[in-house]
Amino acid sequence: MGREKEKEKLSEKALNLLRSRLSDPNFIFRPLSDSPDSNYSKLKFIISTSVTEACNNSILLLGPRGSGKVAVLELVLSDLLQQYPEAISVIRLNGLLHSDDNCALKEIARQLCMEHQLLFSKVASFDDNSQFMIAMLRECGLAHKTIIFVLDEFDFFAQGKQRLLYSLLDAMQSVNSQAVVIGVSCRLKLLSDERFKELIDTYLSFNFTIGHLVRFLFQAVSYMDLSAGFLSLGNFKTALSSNQRQPKLECIRDCSVLELYMMVCMKRLEVKEQASYNFYSVMTEYKSIHDSFQTSDYYAANVCLRAFEHLLQCQLISFIDNKGHNQSVEFRPVKLLISSAELHQGLKSYQQCPAILLKLMDR
Amino acid sequence: MATEESPQVTRRATRSYSASNTAIESTNLPESYKPTINDLGFRQQPLRLEDLLSSFPGRRSQILELLRLLGPLNSPMFPILVYGGPSTGKTSVTLQVFRHLNRPFIYSSCITCYSPRILFESILNQLLFHRKDSGHSYSSVKRCERPSDFVNYLREALENVLTNLKGNSGKVSSKMSGRPDGTMVYLVFDNLERIRDWDKSSTILPFLFNLNDILKMPEVGLIFISNTSPDTYYLNIGYVEPIPLYFPDYTEDDLRHIFMANQTNSRLYASFLDVVLRPFCRVTRQVDELAAAFSSLFKKYSEPLSDKEVAPNEEMKRRLFSHIRPHIASALNETFQVRSQPLLKAETNEETKKTNSSRMLGIREDFDKIDFHMSTSAKYLLISAFLASRNPATLDASLFDSTGVSDSRKRKRKASEKSMDQKEMAEQELLMKGPGTFPLERLLAIFQCITSLAEDSLDEEESHELTVEGGSRGLMSDVLLQLSSLCNANFIIKGGSCPLEGSTRYRTAVSEDLALKVARSLKFPLSKYLYRR
């Protein structure tokens, strides 16, 4: 008994270690950064030259989500902070949070205050904050200190009027400042925008997604059997199958027989090329099926309406337009969100599917 | 709050006035409860794994998978999305798993927290151990509306809690002191699909899904619970998806286990389930809907038994089955209704009738009455709205002329095939378009005609139940109030106003069945006024 517990404790420790390593992006990307050709070294070179030569610079990092852009950036920054401890200060903004320039300036002022141990006032106005930022830029420029602005989710800053970008780049031009602006984004269409080509001096692209692989590994690792203490092939297979879900088929398998009837009715209406249909037209089709085939599954309108609403909730059907809020549910036109092939497959895999439905689908 | 009233108050005092007076006078205000770190864990008896698995039949694999994804104590995790149909046990399984593991967690539901500000403040309140009470006039600990503020406050609060937990972990074993285990905090967001209907959903949903990356704190775990599958969250910025955990609907066997739990007479209930479970499962497999239907049906099933504790043998089962069989069909059609009068009442009224068909008829008659109360003027208003939506406006003059009653049937023409086809198409168009809109003036005009008609007919009958206020002038002010109540109850939908015409248009939202029922209760000949093409 004691040995079992010992073994479990050890395997728990091993599991913990694996999980924490997989969840830590720094750990994952460090070994990939060693080659001289990698993005890590390029980035490091660019930033360190701007720091040492006291010039302004702007960089854009592009790549799909999970490809390690922020992770590599953080590695570079932590290395540089070790190398030049007094000469760099980092301000981090996120497009999801700070796309409004009021918020953004407030956040910039707050981080600057935290870094230089100044008192931050929450009620400072937009003008106060922007003057403060310009003053800090000037001071840091005079003291040969580089401020690095990291703008995560850059596409949010780049949409709309782009006030923050203009005020930031304006401030960099007007005073004697040393600042590096690094944008990180996963939307590739930024490249096509002409303004950015002028504004951004360099861009680096990241092409592979490690994020999805890491997530898959994490799942496989968490299925590890603690009593055995080893990962097995079965763990990887279960993780793979959970990543290859087919959500529409799952929804169909969860439907009741009445809901299947309704979906088949809608499919038949589509086949008859009826342009749009609502609940009542589906009910007429349902009634006609019942009349011609004498099925045993004929239910009243309110029961069918509830099944209809359940289908709406699962998003197997949806309203055609969103404007009809002053019409009740029964009259608004709907459309099917699954193809007939998916519906067919779902019916076949449904346990105890009534044969009549398959026959109707085959027609 | 103290309920004694001070005897010196001689003038009429409103409730709030006397309550505030007594609050000032009384010195023993109830002590408000101050939450502590122990409140982050489940404060009930800890749960063993076997009990957890046995209390959720059919959910064994989901519970084990959730336990594996959460991992051992103090190990970081990826965000998880628990999804599945309604009433499949997602929330209860998640909460009971946390009870079993005894780890600190923060729960917030997007139904009770219906805007971003309330959601953020609720989470911060729980983390900062602040409870809203009368002392602070029910305010939250911090005012937080924007995600940027929320992230800053959340980081501070989490760091406080984590240092607290780390300090505790060195001390006495937490099982004895009721403290939660470990140095990780989990945030549970329930009913995530509601966020899609918020105004700010396009910023809040990506924010929540990326919260893990924004916070960059490995000691925080995120769990999302949703009624809909992950692909219904269409976000155009992309994000690394949380790990999905699917809760499928229960199979018939699982449903049998669930319904058999906590039954006093299990043999009787088992034979009941044998009869009803399969037909009802063809309509729905959701536990809440089935439970409502089964509870009333079971009462009827065990009606003929004098002794409810007896275990039925085969012969008794057959008799009970034949007793319940006619009711199953009708109950199936009423599956989703929770009736305000129990079905039994209809039965006792019709006990004299012996045949099956008349018993069915008796039930149907009960369906013909509306089972909620409406005042007479509201009923007339509802009927006028229905007529206004159904009939085209040009017909009003002929239908409601000065003599009141008029015949709306057209002269009988020979029905040619072309007109039959046109009729069908017109009917289909009517089905597709739905009820039409009408302005307020038309509604009031029809209402006046109908009620003057009713007054005349009632005066003739000399009925004593006249509740219509005397004179049409008395009715006017009440009508507008009734109209707004009907709008709030969704009997009439208020549409947008047309900028050219300048008045709001209304539309009726009741079905013809309900309108007929209401008219029948007033003895109003609705069908004579309905326009049939």
Side-chain angles (χ1 to χ4, degrees):
Chain A
M1 258 309 271
R3 272 212 59 168
E4 286 285 327
K5 279 274 182 199
E6 274 286 320
K7 201 168 173 200
E8 273 211 19
K9 270 207 174 311
L10 285 176
S11 35
E12 233 185 66
K13 267 181 147 179
L15 183 61
N16 264 353
L17 182 66
L18 281 174
R19 283 170 66 115
S20 27
R21 282 191 180 170
L22 283 172
S23 335
D24 180 15
N26 284 348
F27 175 80
I28 296 170
F29 288 100
R30 185 168 277 284
L32 298 169
S33 321
D34 284 339
S35 73
D37 207 15
S38 69
N39 285 322
Y40 169 84
S41 15
K42 284 188 211 164
L43 196 55
K44 189 162 177 193
F45 177 70
I46 295 171
I47 303 182
S48 48
T49 42
S50 334
V51 169
T52 47
E53 292 178 18
C55 60
N56 288 341
N57 215 334
S58 52
I59 309 172
L60 186 59
L61 302 176
L62 287 178
R65 204 165 275 277
S67 43
K69 312 179 283 291
V70 173
V72 169
L73 181 61
E74 291 294 330
L75 281 177
V76 169
L77 287 176
S78 56
D79 285 347
L80 287 177
L81 277 171
Q82 279 185 338
Q83 242 184 323
Y84 308 101
E86 285 304 315
I88 298 184
S89 88
V90 185
I91 308 282
R92 291 184 177 83
L93 295 178
N94 191 313
L96 281 173
L97 307 175
H98 305 125
S99 56
D100 170 33
D101 52 342
N102 247 330
C103 272
L105 271 181
K106 187 167 160 189
E107 183 66 20
I108 293 177
R110 190 188 73 90
Q111 292 192 19
L112 282 172
C113 288
M114 256 183 26
E115 200 142 337
H116 298 102
Q117 273 113 29
L118 300 169
L119 276 180
F120 173 64
S121 151
K122 287 193 201 151
V123 297
S125 71
F126 177 78
D127 282 332
D128 292 339
N129 283 336
S130 77
Q131 280 177 4
F132 174 67
M133 182 180 81
I134 297 181
M136 283 300 288
L137 279 174
R138 190 183 308 127
E139 290 299 320
C140 289
L142 289 173
H144 294 294
K145 189 166 181 175
T146 313
I147 303 188
I148 301 184
F149 290 93
V150 178
L151 301 175
D152 211 349
E153 315 285 352
F154 188 69
D155 37 298
F156 283 94
F157 290 114
Q159 69 193 4
K161 296 221 183 98
Q162 305 169 357
R163 277 204 219 113
L164 175 72
L165 283 182
Y166 277 120
S167 46
L168 199 55
L169 294 169
D170 212 28
M172 280 163 60
Q173 304 287 345
S174 61
V175 298
N176 234 351
S177 65
Q178 288 175 226
V180 180
V181 175
I182 307 179
V184 180
S185 169
C186 54
R187 285 232 208 142
L188 301 181
K189 66 177 183 161
L190 276 179
L191 285 183
S192 56
D193 200 342
E194 284 306 314
R195 290 178 286 186
F196 289 108
K197 288 223 182 98
E198 297 171 8
L199 231 39
I200 304 290
D201 297 321
T202 33
Y203 78 89
L204 303 169
S205 74
F206 292 69
N207 274 324
F208 43 85
T209 32
I210 293 203
H212 289 99
L213 177 64
V214 168
R215 197 174 127 239
F216 164 68
L217 287 176
F218 185 86
Q219 271 184 287
V221 161
S222 34
Y223 290 140
M224 175 168 105
D225 188 6
L226 280 178
S227 53
F230 292 105
L231 287 171
S232 72
L233 186 60
N235 301 16
F236 287 94
K237 281 192 182 161
T238 15
L240 194 63
S241 64
S242 99
N243 273 335
Q244 287 173 340
R245 307 165 296 118
Q246 283 171 308
K248 297 288 187 208
L249 279 188
E250 278 172 351
C251 272
I252 295 186
R253 230 173 285 141
D254 270 352
C255 283
S256 65
V257 172
L258 176 59
E259 286 153 15
L260 292 180
Y261 264 96
M262 306 206 66
M263 283 200 286
V264 170
C265 290
M266 283 192 241
K267 204 30 105 178
R268 279 167 64 89
L269 286 175
E270 268 187 10
V271 165
K272 285 187 197 169
E273 293 185 7
Q274 198 163 355
S276 65
Y277 42 87
N278 63 7
F279 173 68
Y280 281 119
S281 22
V282 176
M283 285 302 290
T284 27
E285 178 72 22
Y286 181 52
K287 187 164 185 321
S288 70
I289 290 182
H290 174 72
D291 289 338
S292 39
F293 292 104
Q294 295 300 321
T295 56
S296 57
D297 286 306
Y298 189 60
Y299 302 104
N302 55 346
V303 176
C304 295
L305 184 59
R306 195 70 159 118
F308 189 74
E309 286 179 350
H310 187 230
L311 287 175
L312 278 170
Q313 198 182 38
C314 295
Q315 297 254 321
L316 284 168
I317 62 181
S318 80
F319 293 123
I320 288 186
D321 58 12
N322 273 331
K323 300 177 282 177
H325 280 300
N326 54 353
Q327 270 273 31
S328 25
V329 171
E330 301 112 54
F331 291 107
R332 288 171 70 177
V334 295
K335 61 177 190 258
L336 265 179
L337 288 179
I338 59 176
S339 64
S340 53
E342 282 177 319
L343 185 55
H344 209 111
Q345 200 185 0
L347 285 177
K348 280 211 213 118
S349 62
Y350 191 84
Q351 286 179 348
Q352 305 152 3
C353 173
I356 183 79
L357 287 178
L358 287 170
K359 203 160 70 153
L360 286 171
M361 278 296 291
D362 282 333
R363 294 242 186 121
Chain B
M1 292 297 276
T3 49
E4 64 266 13
E5 248 150 353
S6 96
Q8 288 97 333
V9 176
T10 48
R11 57 189 172 96
R12 270 181 73 221
T14 59
R15 249 179 292 154
S16 62
Y17 177 80
S18 43
S20 59
N21 259 351
T22 50
I24 298 169
E25 290 173 12
S26 68
T27 47
N28 50 345
L29 279 171
E31 279 293 314
S32 53
Y33 176 71
K34 295 253 177 299
T36 60
I37 190 131
N38 296 347
D39 287 298
L40 290 184
F42 225 97
R43 297 199 79 200
Q44 285 175 24
Q45 283 295 327
L47 195 59
R48 295 177 314 151
L49 184 61
E50 300 82 28
D51 296 334
L52 178 64
L53 289 173
S54 60
S55 56
F56 290 105
R59 287 285 171 242
R60 188 195 166 84
S61 57
Q62 280 80 31
I63 295 179
L64 291 177
E65 183 157 344
L66 184 60
L67 284 171
R68 284 213 187 93
L69 286 173
L70 285 175
L73 205 56
N74 302 337
S75 96
M77 58 172 259
F78 271 54
I80 302 178
L81 176 67
V82 174
Y83 72 100
S87 80
T88 40
K90 309 179 288 289
T91 311
S92 29
V93 163
T94 312
L95 293 177
Q96 294 297 317
V97 159
F98 275 107
R99 179 177 163 192
H100 161 69
L101 293 172
N102 196 24
R103 292 192 200 169
F105 69 100
I106 306 278
Y107 174 83
S108 50
S109 159
C110 299
I111 295 186
T112 48
C113 304
Y114 51 87
S115 78
R117 173 173 163 197
I118 302 182
L119 179 65
F120 296 154
E121 290 184 359
S122 148
I123 297 177
L124 288 174
N125 284 345
Q126 292 183 60
L127 278 174
L128 294 169
F129 311 123
H130 172 87
R131 177 167 271 216
K132 292 184 177 182
D133 60 11
S134 52
H136 310 273
S137 63
Y138 297 100
S139 66
S140 315
V141 63
K142 284 198 204 288
R143 191 200 152 98
C144 176
E145 257 190 47
R146 287 190 233 129
S148 49
D149 297 330
F150 177 61
V151 168
N152 292 335
Y153 293 142
L154 185 65
R155 240 190 223 123
E156 279 175 33
L158 281 171
E159 269 157 22
N160 274 341
V161 169
L162 288 167
T163 39
N164 207 338
L165 284 173
K166 286 198 182 95
N168 281 343
S169 67
K171 294 182 191 160
V172 182
S173 147
S174 46
K175 279 199 184 53
M176 296 191 268
S177 58
R179 243 171 290 166
D181 279 338
T183 55
M184 275 188 72
V185 176
Y186 299 88
L187 299 178
V188 179
F189 292 88
D190 201 355
N191 305 115
L192 200 68
E193 74 278 357
R194 295 284 174 136
I195 299 189
R196 288 182 305 176
D197 302 327
W198 290 0
D199 284 336
K200 300 226 181 79
S201 66
S202 53
T203 45
I204 298 292
L205 268 179
F207 167 65
L208 282 179
F209 280 122
N210 282 318
L211 190 59
N212 200 31
D213 287 332
I214 294 177
L215 274 183
K216 292 198 181 60
M217 293 173 81
E219 302 98 345
V220 177
L222 292 173
I223 299 172
F224 301 104
I225 305 182
S226 155
N227 261 352
T228 55
S229 68
D231 54 332
T232 58
Y233 295 99
Y234 298 118
L235 297 177
N236 54 0
I237 69 157
Y239 54 96
V240 178
E241 276 183 17
I243 299 181
L245 178 56
Y246 178 52
F247 274 60
D249 271 1
Y250 293 109
T251 62
E252 268 189 46
D253 293 326
D254 295 331
L255 284 171
R256 178 181 293 273
H257 280 300
I258 291 174
F259 281 113
M260 286 299 296
N262 300 334
Q263 286 296 334
T264 44
N265 188 347
S266 43
R267 302 275 290 278
L268 183 62
Y269 206 79
S271 59
F272 168 66
L273 283 181
D274 286 334
V275 172
V276 298
L277 193 58
R278 177 140 312 177
F280 272 80
C281 277
R282 289 177 85 85
V283 174
T284 177
R285 278 187 294 166
Q286 289 182 26
V287 177
D288 47 353
E289 291 163 357
L290 286 176
F294 284 173
S295 59
S296 53
L297 212 53
F298 182 61
K299 282 201 196 84
K300 183 179 288 306
Y301 181 77
S302 47
E303 241 185 348
L305 286 178
S306 45
D307 175 16
K308 305 277 190 251
E309 300 301 319
V310 71
N313 54 10
E314 282 306 314
E315 208 246 288
M316 209 185 302
K317 281 190 202 171
R318 240 173 285 136
R319 273 195 298 133
L320 289 172
F321 174 61
S322 51
H323 166 77
I324 193 89
R325 191 159 52 155
H327 302 289
I328 295 183
S330 57
L332 274 175
N333 279 332
E334 293 294 310
T335 310
F336 300 110
Q337 264 190 10
V338 180
R339 302 180 54 77
S340 48
Q341 299 157 352
L343 207 54
L344 285 172
K345 240 195 205 171
E347 265 309 289
T348 53
N349 290 340
E350 309 300 330
E351 256 176 15
T352 49
K353 303 194 179 138
K354 293 292 180 195
T355 58
N356 263 1
S357 56
S358 45
R359 204 179 296 163
M360 286 283 274
L361 207 56
I363 298 171
R364 215 176 289 128
E365 267 182 34
D366 188 53
F367 293 173
D368 284 346
K369 296 205 196 50
I370 48 177
D371 52 359
F372 52 89
H373 173 73
M374 275 172 90
S375 63
T376 313
S377 57
K379 286 185 189 168
Y380 277 116
L381 201 59
L382 188 62
I383 297 177
S384 340
F386 184 72
L387 285 173
S389 265
R390 274 292 294 264
N391 299 345
T394 46
L395 262 195
D396 283 352
S398 59
L399 272 182
F400 301 106
D401 61 9
S402 49
T403 61
V405 182
S406 155
D407 198 342
S408 77
R409 286 189 221 110
K410 288 192 193 160
R411 269 173 279 125
K412 274 236 170 204
R413 259 188 244 128
K414 200 173 90 163
S416 65
E417 218 176 273
K418 192 170 159 204
S419 68
M420 292 287 276
D421 278 343
Q422 274 184 358
K423 223 182 175 180
E424 243 184 63
M425 270 186 41
E427 257 185 45
Q428 230 185 33
E429 248 188 65
L430 179 66
L431 272 185
M432 277 302 298
K433 261 191 348 186
T437 58
F438 51 87
L440 183 61
E441 295 81 21
R442 187 171 161 218
L443 173 68
L444 292 178
I446 298 182
F447 179 70
Q448 267 198 307
C449 292
I450 296 184
T451 45
S452 60
L453 178 80
E455 271 184 32
D456 296 336
S457 63
L458 279 170
D459 282 340
E460 288 167 14
E461 296 173 8
E462 287 191 335
S463 155
H464 295 290
E465 308 174 32
L466 188 63
T467 53
V468 173
E469 291 81 1
S472 53
R473 224 175 298 136
L475 275 175
M476 251 334 123
S477 55
D478 198 46
V479 162
L480 294 178
L481 271 176
Q482 296 279 15
L483 179 63
S484 64
S485 325
L486 286 176
C487 286
N488 284 337
N490 280 335
F491 285 129
I492 299 181
I493 305 180
K494 190 167 161 174
S497 55
C498 171
L500 291 176
E501 291 182 30
S503 64
T504 48
R505 294 184 77 85
Y506 298 84
R507 195 197 294 263
T508 190
V510 295
S511 62
E512 195 170 326
D513 290 337
L514 186 61
L516 284 173
K517 280 191 208 170
V518 170
R520 208 169 294 134
S521 71
L522 287 174
K523 299 191 179 36
F524 178 81
L526 185 64
S527 37
K528 274 202 223 157
Y529 289 84
L530 280 178
Y531 172 63
R532 302 208 189 276
R533 291 168 207 256

